[in-house]
Amino acid sequence: LREHLEQVAKVSGFIPPELQTPELPEGLAYLWGTFFQIRRTPDPLTYTELRNWSLMTKQELEPLEVETIMRLDSIANKVRNDD
């Protein structure tokens, strides 16, 4: 997680307050990594992109995982647009 926060800080110049949280439980930290694997552009993610990523990587996402990733994307977009 620290690596991803450092990437966000490097790109944006700061760590958004939304990301200044306690360490993620190990069982959920993989979603943070998955989010960064899927999100390659500043454009909002789409469900089609998530489905295509899942098909290409053969990593099936559960509905709750999809919703979590989409929520992370919404937060990232809000932080970017608030600048």
Side-chain angles (χ1 to χ4, degrees):
L1 177 61
R2 179 61 30 204
E3 293 172 34
H4 295 298
L5 289 175
E6 290 170 1
Q7 288 175 351
V8 170
K10 182 186 266 187
V11 171
S12 67
F14 72 101
I15 298 175
E18 291 88 343
L19 298 178
Q20 296 176 10
T21 61
E23 191 71 28
L24 287 173
E26 190 172 319
L28 295 177
Y30 76 96
L31 279 177
W32 188 246
T34 300
F35 170 67
F36 276 94
Q37 285 178 7
I38 297 170
R39 187 181 174 122
R40 298 289 184 183
T41 71
D43 298 326
L45 286 176
T46 65
Y47 289 102
T48 301
E49 288 175 301
L50 291 180
R51 184 193 66 210
N52 290 343
W53 175 88
S54 182
L55 291 171
M56 294 294 293
T57 62
K58 298 185 189 314
Q59 295 185 44
E60 189 172 328
L61 295 171
E62 296 294 325
L64 184 58
E65 293 171 319
V66 169
E67 292 308 313
T68 301
I69 290 169
M70 294 302 279
R71 181 142 182 143
L72 287 170
D73 188 58
S74 292
I75 292 167
N77 287 323
K78 182 180 182 314
V79 168
R80 180 179 297 106
N81 293 331
D82 284 349
D83 288 343

